């Protein structure tokens, strides 16, 4: 199994999930600029450009959420809640909340800061993204009161939401009034699979 990704914030969670499931994998991490990543040489290797891509035998899956769903359903169905599960609605709610509300401002913030050389960074756009991000985290904080996990014992929804929360904290989101999310991120970062993914 090979995982191809550019240096962006969303790809790490694929590695995190692979570690959690215990699947062997190889990483192909590219540090090319956007123009270089459109070159014939690069697109021959990964035709999806910056989009994370997983190759599993004859199966190719792109986009990080689709990869997470595929890995969970095929190799660790206990991590994926099905429609018969009483927590299925909650699982879907948080899966899509992370994708729709938390990840976009994180991505904007990362692109405008980490992925650009200092002279090309846009602090104004990064500040706007951070403001939206802080507002969305408040809703997650309220939900976390009295809970150990967002959606269950490390479901794919938790992988995605947890990664979003960890990245938010590292990118400068204000966690002063978010003790539940802070503790949640601490628990996730303490997991062996998370440490291995970070090292990779």
């Amino acid at each position: 199994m090979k995982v191809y990704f550019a240096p962006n914030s969303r790809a790490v969670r694929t590695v995190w999930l692979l570690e959690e499931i215990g699947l062997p994998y190889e990483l192909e991490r590219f540090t090319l600029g956007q123009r270089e990543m459109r070159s014939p040489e690069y697109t021959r290797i990964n035709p999806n450009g910056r989009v994370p891509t997983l190759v599993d035998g004859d199966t190719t899956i792109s986009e990080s959420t689709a990869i997470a769903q595929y890995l969970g359903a095929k190799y660790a169905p206990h991590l994926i809640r099905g429609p018969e599960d009483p927590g299925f609605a909650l699982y879907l709610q948080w899966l899509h909340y992370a994708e729709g509300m938390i990840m976009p401002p994180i991505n904007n913030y990362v692109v405008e800061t980490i992925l650009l050389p200092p002279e090309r960074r846009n602090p104004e756009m990064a500040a706007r993204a951070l403001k939206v991000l802080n507002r969305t985290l408040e809703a997650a904080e309220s939900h976390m009161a009295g809970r150990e996990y967002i959606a269950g014992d490390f479901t794919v929804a938790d992988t995605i939401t947890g990664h979003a929360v960890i990245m938010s904290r590292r990118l400068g989101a204000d966690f002063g009034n978010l003790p539940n999310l802070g503790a949640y991120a601490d628990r996730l970062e303490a997991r062996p699979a998370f440490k291995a993914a970070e090292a990779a």
Side-chain angles (χ1 to χ4, degrees):
M1 181 178 295
K2 279 202 171 188
V3 184
Y4 299 88
F5 62 91
N8 64 39
S9 66
R10 305 179 71 169
V12 178
R13 71 187 193 212
T14 298
V15 181
W16 181 1
L17 190 60
L18 285 163
E19 289 285 347
E20 189 71 30
I21 294 171
L23 290 173
Y25 60 87
E26 293 179 53
L27 289 179
E28 293 287 348
R29 184 175 187 272
F30 298 97
T31 57
L32 303 174
Q34 291 201 25
R35 180 176 299 175
E36 296 169 293
M37 294 178 79
R38 297 191 191 102
S39 68
E41 181 183 1
Y42 179 78
T43 54
R44 178 179 56 80
I45 300 169
N46 183 11
N48 294 300
R50 301 189 72 85
V51 179
T53 301
L54 179 142
V55 179
D56 182 19
D58 295 330
T59 302
T60 300
I61 305 288
S62 293
E63 264 297 327
S64 49
T65 301
I67 290 171
Q69 290 280 30
Y70 168 80
L71 291 172
K74 182 172 180 179
Y75 296 104
H78 59 286
L79 293 180
I80 297 276
R81 293 173 180 262
E84 72 288 343
D85 190 298
F88 186 61
L90 182 65
Y91 165 81
L92 289 181
Q93 174 188 341
W94 283 100
L95 187 68
H96 292 290
Y97 183 82
E99 283 299 298
M101 296 297 292
I102 303 179
M103 292 309 299
I106 289 177
N107 291 340
N108 289 343
Y109 194 18
V110 169
V111 168
E112 295 301 324
T113 54
I114 295 173
L115 292 184
L116 290 177
E119 67 275 9
R120 291 178 54 202
R121 292 175 184 174
N122 186 335
E124 184 180 333
M125 186 171 291
R128 287 203 302 269
L130 188 58
K131 186 175 180 180
V132 173
L133 177 59
N134 286 333
R135 194 163 62 241
T136 60
L137 289 174
E138 290 174 5
E141 169 71 15
S142 176
H143 171 84
M144 279 299 296
R147 295 177 185 268
E148 189 76 6
Y149 291 95
I150 288 280
D153 187 9
F154 208 75
T155 63
V156 171
D158 280 299
T159 308
I160 293 173
T161 312
H163 182 260
V165 169
I166 289 163
M167 282 300 299
S168 304
R169 188 164 65 172
R170 292 185 179 184
L171 287 169
D174 182 6
F175 274 72
N177 295 317
L178 304 172
N180 294 316
L181 283 181
Y184 174 58
D186 288 341
R187 289 192 296 273
L188 293 178
E189 288 186 293
R191 296 176 77 101
F194 184 87
K195 294 178 180 179
E198 285 255 297

